[in-house]
Amino acid sequence: MLNDTWDFITGLSAAQLISYFWPFFLFDLTRYVVFDVLILTLYLPRRKRNKQRRAEARKLLFHEKPLVSVIVPGKNEGKHIPRLAESLTRQTYKKLEIVIVDDGSDDDTEIICRKLHRDGKIDQYVRNEVRGGKASAANTALYYSTGKYVIHLDADSELRYDSIETILLPFYMDANIAAVGGDIRVANLSQTMATRTQAIEYFKGISTGRTVSSMLGILRIIAGAYGAFRRDTLDRLGGWDVGPGLDGDITMKIRKLGLKVVHEPHAVCYTNVPTSFRKLARQRFRWDRSMVRFRARKHVDVLMPTSNFRLSNFIATVENLFYNLFLNFKWWFYVAQVIFFYGALLQHIIVVNYVLYTLANLAEFLVATVLLRKTLRKQDLLLFLYLPLMPLYTGLYLRIVRTYAYIMEFIHKASYADRWNPWKVSRVVKKDGL
Amino acid sequence: MSEGVLITGDQNPLHLPAKKATDDTQWRSLDVGAEADYFLLEVGSESEAYRIIGLVRQKLLPAVYLKPLILINRGGDVSKSLQDQVDFVISSQQLEQQLPAKLLDEVESINRRIDALQEQRLKADTNIALRVVRYLYSRDREVEPVASIQNRGGYTFTGIESLFGGHDQSIWQTLDFLNSQHLVQTRFVTRTHQCASCGCAFLNFKETCPQCESEELDADDLIHHFRCGYTAELSDFRQDDRLVCPKCDQTLRHIGVDYDKPSMMYHCRSCDHRFQEPEIVTTCFDCHRTAPPENQIHRNIEAYKLSMLGVNAALYGLDSLFASILERRLQLLPLDVFERFIAVEKARIGRYKVSHSSLLLLDIKGLEEIYLTLGERTSEVYEELANLFYAMLRSSDLISSRNESMFLMLLTETSPDDAKIVEGRLSSGVGELLKASLGASPEIISQIVNVDNALDLTEYLESFLSEHHAE
Ligand SMILES: [Zn+2]
Ligand SMILES: [Zn+2]
Ligand SMILES: [Zn+2]
């Protein structure tokens, strides 16, 4: 059978190659090639050239020693807080203020945090008896924090020892930078097959993808799990807006102010990811819906030629809409095309696609390794053994979840009723058409 | 039929025929009015009323201090506190005609209970605990706590206050003592905080900064505007008399609809600390000491009413306490039951003629005075005495008492020689215990009698009493 496939490949003309495998050659390959080439030829040499500037920035940072607020909003996260507070004391950058906001927890979060607050292990603890949702909790934390920079952190994440220092440096290299995204890595990567595939996805998507977007000035999102912001900017915006995609939302709002948003691949934050494909599907369903909502609805204005029109914002949005929405539906078009017109060649086409995408994943993984080299651990490198799973993961699993989410969002406006916001908030937002 | 004594204050008495008037000079006499059915009080002012009620209630003879008190109201309101301290309030008009039948019934029922004290009613009664017990008995009702700013404990018991002549601390002590002796039953009414150093119930509860202890705090509500997610303190939203969101410029309309108040924040003016849980401290209005509430005294405030044991104490004195403790611990038998056991034992021994039993009599002189010396510790000593008896007696032995200090024990299957050993141990044990507690050994008389057909318990006791208690 493999011989047949080999014969099939060698017998292909260039036109046939394109018509049978156009999604790979026209879209994915170009994207991979573009990204990888950019990383290797532009980003890495530039980072090397900037070595001196980074050293200067570091000097400035430690000379000024601004107060940095680490804000941790959340519900029922009390169990993570003692370890988090403890791990923050081991950061190379020490002038931190830890502000915990408890968004109506119904477990023993209050007892744990009140004690930490009394013992001086955390600087501020605000308990909201009534749950207000993620945005309200983050805004409460912002209100009661005083640092010049504000780091938004998830309670169950863990920072590499030099992470805060690293995430602050871009502010000292470019005064127009108002927000810096940290590099999210998977903490529980060795746990299940689901966590391993996510770990590889994070390397590609977050580490490589955001580094390139950042370099091109089209970074769309700063992860809520770990992002640093200038306080003056957050104050101008009145903090976070309501919604399941509030991380992407605040990033867009900062960009609209004409300020820069960058990704820092060496500012590492380890986070726990869903351990089963079922739980993962639920998480992605939520993320994908919010993508549609905030890109395609709320910030549709960046596509309009208004006074504060910016090409980079336009491109950031178009690129995102294109890759996520268009490419997603193009994929189903391709599947239909193959089944109806090339049904006889189905198995060959599948095998070839599989090989092509596996090779592309391998190439991407290698580039990520070069990009992140000093921050990688041994278990990160061992992930390459699982690369052959990735075409199934990204090509089938994620696509199915995503398609479902998009359809639901367009048809039902379902995300207004999401479980991350209390109904009282969703109701008002839905009514006001936000 | 019923005869009252009119007591007047400084005012001129109403001229009521057929009623004797009395004045302050006569009050020096011990038994003034002892035979009257009630006292009528006619005074010009409430303070005068309190003074005279105090005079009555602090007399020594139960027949006087327990006497029903009827206050004549010559117009105007009578304060609740005064009403609580007398038994009845009537108007002068009512007095002109005939006292209401209902009132007279109640007077009679109080007097019936006073009469139940028999000869005790004319014996001076100095023990405040006993006086309270007798008062509660004669009134047959619960005495309830009344909130009062006049009383440092925050509560007083107006019903019995006049028995105490103004020492409110001793009201609490006496009621606690009665409770500890199971002489009263309590009913929970409320709870107070009292100063741990002086007992004063007037405490100032204050919120303070947990960081610098300052009391100068501001408190502000947190506001969460739903539509934009903005969350800040209320003062940031205040614009003139409206609430306007500083982020989205919308006017807030209805709490719960477009905004809510998820929590509250304190701000310390002296150290700028912000916190949600202020430290609560209490400062005593009297001694000015400050302490956290958990270090102050938390006290249950209760209503009191006499228990069965208390009724017993009212009739026979607090000395019967020992008997009641023994009753609990040793199953003290009533004397007539004990007598029947002796008769059975006599018959058994007479029939089989193989065994001996002994009767041991123990008379502890002055046990009835032990309360005067020991006060609240009395019951502890009684418990120890009971334990001593319990340790010396076997389960087949029986015990009874003739009065508060004379005990009878039937030691079955015990020869008079063996009984001597028990007798020696018991009387030396009792002697040592009382010496350790009272500082002096009381006189203890003990006798052993062989239980046989010749023994007539009633006769024996009569002759013992006439020999040792010649009165
Ligand atoms: Zn608002
Ligand atoms: Zn303070
Ligand atoms: Zn005091």
Side-chain angles (χ1 to χ4, degrees):
Chain A
M1 189 204 115
L2 281 175
N3 283 340
D4 291 351
T5 305
W6 182 249
D7 291 343
F8 166 74
I9 295 168
T10 48
L12 285 173
S13 68
Q16 278 174 321
L17 197 65
I18 298 298
S19 62
Y20 291 159
F21 303 106
W22 59 268
F24 181 79
F25 288 107
L26 294 186
F27 298 100
D28 297 308
L29 181 64
T30 42
R31 187 172 165 178
Y32 293 139
V33 167
V34 166
F35 273 45
D36 294 349
V37 166
L38 285 174
I39 291 274
L40 294 172
T41 62
L42 274 174
Y43 184 80
L44 288 173
R46 187 191 285 178
R47 196 169 171 101
K48 200 156 199 164
R49 279 199 307 279
N50 279 344
K51 207 170 173 182
Q52 186 58 34
R53 274 182 68 205
R54 291 178 71 80
E56 293 292 330
R58 192 171 182 281
K59 244 183 246 169
L60 275 174
L61 170 68
F62 280 90
H63 181 73
E64 186 194 323
K65 274 217 193 104
L67 179 65
V68 175
S69 304
V70 177
I71 65 169
V72 187
K75 182 186 177 190
N76 294 346
E77 303 280 14
K79 53 190 178 295
H80 302 299
I81 306 297
R83 195 189 41 77
L84 180 74
E86 168 62 27
S87 81
L88 286 173
T89 62
R90 291 193 297 267
Q91 280 293 311
T92 50
Y93 191 79
K94 304 255 179 240
K95 200 159 175 203
L96 302 176
E97 172 196 59
I98 307 172
V99 178
I100 311 288
V101 170
D102 170 355
D103 195 22
S105 295
D106 47 21
D107 60 358
D108 45 12
T109 292
E110 180 172 9
I111 302 165
I112 295 168
C113 292
R114 291 260 185 248
K115 177 159 174 24
L116 290 173
H117 190 203
R118 262 198 311 280
D119 298 349
K121 300 259 163 57
I122 57 180
D123 297 275
Q124 185 61 274
Y125 169 71
V126 184
R127 168 163 174 82
N128 283 346
E129 291 297 332
V130 197
R131 192 165 82 97
K134 285 193 104 169
S136 153
N139 289 335
T140 306
L142 177 64
Y143 189 78
Y144 287 111
S145 65
T146 53
K148 183 177 177 187
Y149 299 100
V150 176
I151 292 178
H152 186 291
L153 190 62
D154 275 358
D156 68 340
S157 52
E158 186 162 11
L159 299 181
R160 203 178 118 101
Y161 67 97
D162 62 351
S163 196
I164 289 187
E165 169 191 332
T166 311
I167 206 169
L168 292 172
L169 292 183
F171 293 120
Y172 288 84
M173 293 169 72
D174 183 345
N176 272 325
I177 291 176
V180 182
D183 210 60
I184 311 296
R185 311 277 174 87
V186 174
N188 54 340
L189 79 169
S190 312
Q191 210 172 334
T192 62
M193 210 48 79
T195 63
R196 287 192 186 95
T197 49
Q198 285 174 86
I200 297 171
E201 185 198 4
Y202 275 52
F203 278 142
K204 299 192 316 178
I206 297 177
S207 306
T208 316
R210 288 188 187 163
T211 302
V212 173
S213 305
S214 170
M215 185 180 65
L216 298 176
I218 56 169
L219 183 65
R220 300 178 313 261
I221 192 161
I222 282 185
Y226 186 37
F229 301 86
R230 254 162 50 185
R231 160 171 302 277
D232 57 354
T233 308
L234 288 177
D235 283 348
R236 266 175 80 185
L237 295 172
W240 284 265
D241 282 2
V242 180
L246 72 172
D247 308 330
D249 183 64
I250 190 115
T251 315
M252 278 315 288
K253 284 171 77 189
I254 293 169
R255 297 178 61 95
K256 285 184 191 172
L257 290 176
L259 295 166
K260 286 190 200 166
V261 175
V262 297
H263 180 76
E264 175 45 64
H266 287 187
V268 179
C269 170
Y270 297 101
T271 189
N272 286 303
V273 296
T275 49
S276 71
F277 285 107
R278 174 195 277 273
K279 287 183 202 158
L280 177 62
R282 253 181 267 136
Q283 182 202 50
R284 292 307 161 91
F285 180 62
R286 190 162 47 80
W287 287 5
D288 290 333
R289 270 181 351 201
S290 71
M291 200 296 295
V292 175
R293 177 162 165 214
F294 284 91
R295 223 61 58 199
R297 287 187 205 277
K298 189 172 173 185
H299 294 290
V300 76
D301 61 329
V302 298
L303 302 178
M304 310 299 172
T306 53
S307 60
N308 62 356
F309 177 83
R310 256 163 225 285
L311 188 63
S312 58
N313 288 348
F314 181 84
I315 293 173
T317 302
V318 168
E319 188 257 9
N320 185 246
L321 279 175
F322 179 74
Y323 270 98
N324 287 305
L325 275 174
F326 173 73
L327 290 188
N328 192 52
F329 288 103
K330 146 232 106 180
W331 174 258
W332 295 107
F333 177 75
Y334 176 61
V335 169
Q337 180 201 7
V338 169
I339 290 171
F340 286 116
F341 298 103
Y342 315 125
L345 299 170
L346 189 61
Q347 54 169 316
H348 300 308
I349 291 177
I350 289 173
V351 169
V352 173
N353 264 316
Y354 183 79
V355 171
L356 288 174
Y357 280 103
T358 303
L359 289 172
N361 269 296
L362 183 62
E364 266 203 304
F365 189 78
L366 287 173
V367 171
T369 310
V370 177
L371 172 66
L372 307 173
R373 63 202 185 292
K374 74 160 188 176
T375 63
L376 289 179
R377 301 166 302 177
K378 192 170 158 223
Q379 62 260 47
D380 296 326
L381 294 170
L382 282 176
L383 284 173
F384 88 92
L385 291 171
Y386 299 91
L387 286 172
L389 289 172
M390 293 311 285
L392 297 174
Y393 176 73
T394 40
L396 276 177
Y397 175 79
L398 287 184
R399 257 179 229 289
I400 291 167
V401 171
R402 180 165 294 171
T403 305
Y404 180 66
Y406 289 174
I407 292 171
M408 292 306 285
E409 175 64 19
F410 274 114
I411 295 175
H412 294 301
K413 278 198 171 189
S415 68
Y416 290 112
D418 82 302
R419 65 192 180 87
W420 301 94
N421 279 304
W423 167 240
K424 61 182 183 191
V425 172
S426 308
R427 183 190 52 188
V428 171
V429 169
K430 190 168 189 168
K431 198 179 99 219
D432 290 1
L434 289 180
Chain B
M1 42 174 238
S2 62
E3 180 83 351
V5 168
L6 179 70
I7 307 170
T8 59
D10 304 329
Q11 308 295 313
N12 291 325
L14 283 174
H15 297 289
L16 295 167
K19 290 185 176 95
K20 288 180 269 178
T22 182
D23 62 29
D24 279 10
T25 49
Q26 280 174 283
W27 277 109
R28 298 212 185 93
S29 141
L30 189 66
D31 57 353
V32 60
E35 297 311 321
D37 290 316
Y38 50 86
F39 291 142
L40 277 167
L41 239 67
E42 193 193 35
V43 288
S45 65
E46 289 218 346
S47 59
E48 188 63 12
Y50 286 124
R51 192 180 67 82
I52 292 177
I53 293 166
L55 281 174
V56 173
R57 295 285 188 239
Q58 280 157 55
K59 297 300 278 183
L60 289 178
L61 300 189
V64 182
Y65 74 78
L66 295 176
K67 187 82 51 201
L69 274 176
I70 304 172
L71 178 73
I72 302 165
N73 177 19
R74 295 203 299 189
D77 288 336
V78 177
S79 72
K80 175 81 177 65
S81 157
L82 184 53
Q83 285 182 38
D84 283 351
Q85 295 202 15
V86 297
D87 294 287
F88 311 97
V89 179
I90 58 168
S91 63
S92 353
Q93 292 95 314
Q94 277 176 302
L95 193 64
E96 297 292 351
Q97 300 138 20
Q98 180 120 43
L99 288 178
K102 189 167 172 285
L103 184 153
L104 290 174
D105 279 354
E106 285 182 46
V107 164
E108 206 191 314
S109 85
I110 293 173
N111 283 327
R112 247 201 321 274
R113 282 191 217 98
I114 297 173
D115 289 342
L117 300 179
Q118 297 177 2
E119 73 270 27
Q120 302 254 32
R121 60 188 276 279
L122 292 171
K123 280 189 189 153
D125 182 1
T126 51
N127 183 320
I128 185 65
L130 183 58
R131 292 164 67 90
V132 171
V133 163
R134 286 187 162 153
Y135 181 81
L136 292 177
Y137 168 72
S138 66
R139 264 53 181 180
D140 192 28
R141 63 180 165 94
E142 199 179 54
V143 55
E144 285 184 324
V146 178
S148 141
I149 55 164
Q150 261 82 46
N151 189 289
R152 302 179 71 257
Y155 284 88
T156 185
F157 295 85
T158 42
I160 57 169
E161 212 173 33
S162 50
L163 293 168
F164 287 85
H167 309 291
D168 58 63
Q169 258 341 73
S170 57
I171 297 188
W172 295 103
Q173 279 164 12
T174 306
L175 289 171
D176 284 347
F177 166 73
L178 295 179
N179 192 23
S180 72
Q181 303 308 305
H182 311 283
L183 295 169
V184 286
Q185 288 171 344
T186 58
R187 175 176 61 83
F188 176 83
V189 175
T190 185
R191 219 169 141 68
T192 57
H193 286 75
Q194 294 181 349
C195 173
S197 35
C198 77
C200 175
F202 298 91
L203 299 174
N204 191 5
F205 282 72
K206 293 170 292 188
E207 287 143 345
T208 63
C209 171
Q211 197 162 283
C212 75
E213 297 181 358
S214 164
E215 296 167 14
E216 204 182 358
L217 308 179
D218 294 323
D220 208 353
D221 284 318
L222 221 60
I223 296 253
H224 166 207
H225 192 209
F226 295 162
R227 73 186 297 276
C228 73
Y230 191 65
T231 306
E233 285 179 12
L234 182 76
S235 52
D236 291 19
F237 285 80
R238 192 160 273 144
Q239 262 182 35
D240 305 321
D241 54 351
R242 295 182 308 153
L243 294 176
V244 177
C245 177
K247 175 174 172 177
C248 68
D249 287 328
Q250 284 224 341
T251 303
L252 308 194
R253 286 174 213 289
H254 301 290
I255 186 156
V257 176
D258 58 342
Y259 74 99
D260 67 358
K261 296 179 176 177
S263 63
M264 193 181 184
M265 186 64 79
Y266 289 87
H267 172 229
C268 173
R269 285 210 207 168
S270 89
C271 77
D272 219 32
H273 186 43
R274 281 172 199 277
F275 51 94
Q276 289 185 303
E277 287 209 318
E279 213 74 67
I280 307 288
V281 298
T282 55
T283 302
C284 175
F285 276 105
D286 194 358
C287 74
H288 309 290
R289 255 176 261 210
T290 294
E294 61 271 22
N295 289 359
Q296 304 286 31
I297 299 165
H298 295 228
R299 197 189 160 112
N300 282 350
I301 302 296
E302 292 161 320
Y304 297 84
K305 103 178 177 208
L306 227 48
S307 65
M308 284 315 289
L309 213 54
V311 171
N312 202 48
L315 294 171
Y316 307 111
L318 287 174
D319 311 326
S320 62
L321 214 56
F322 187 29
S324 74
I325 290 169
L326 286 178
E327 219 161 329
R328 254 199 345 260
R329 192 88 171 85
L330 303 175
Q331 279 146 351
L332 195 74
L333 296 171
L335 195 56
D336 54 339
V337 178
F338 186 77
E339 244 168 308
R340 230 171 297 143
F341 273 108
I342 292 281
V344 170
E345 187 69 359
K346 265 174 10 187
R348 189 180 69 87
I349 290 168
R351 184 175 313 146
Y352 299 105
K353 296 186 172 62
V354 285
S355 54
H356 295 279
S357 287
S358 302
L359 176 73
L360 170 60
L361 181 146
L362 202 66
D363 187 19
I364 308 164
K365 291 252 178 179
L367 195 59
E368 57 269 23
E369 264 99 59
I370 187 174
Y371 172 70
L372 296 178
T373 323
L374 290 178
E376 297 184 14
R377 280 198 51 235
T378 310
S379 67
E380 280 172 43
V381 175
Y382 282 175
E383 291 283 356
E384 283 178 61
L385 273 174
N387 285 338
L388 194 68
F389 275 77
Y390 186 77
M392 295 295 171
L393 300 178
R394 298 162 305 173
S395 59
S396 60
D397 297 337
L398 301 171
I399 181 165
S400 180
S401 72
R402 170 64 176 75
N403 58 31
E404 292 83 46
S405 58
M406 190 197 292
F407 299 94
L408 295 160
M409 285 150 269
L410 172 61
L411 310 176
T412 56
E413 296 296 312
T414 309
S415 66
D417 284 346
D418 289 339
K420 271 252 179 302
I421 301 169
V422 179
E423 176 201 8
R425 282 190 197 151
L426 203 52
S427 51
S428 71
V430 170
E432 274 169 39
L433 178 66
L434 293 179
K435 188 178 180 188
S437 311
L438 301 168
S441 293
E443 190 190 341
I444 300 171
I445 303 165
S446 58
Q447 287 186 355
I448 294 168
V449 182
N450 194 21
V451 177
D452 55 22
N453 270 326
L455 176 66
D456 180 331
L457 191 62
T458 322
E459 221 170 78
Y460 167 67
L461 287 175
E462 290 302 319
S463 67
F464 179 85
L465 281 171
S466 61
E467 194 180 324
H468 297 279
H469 288 253
E471 277 159 311

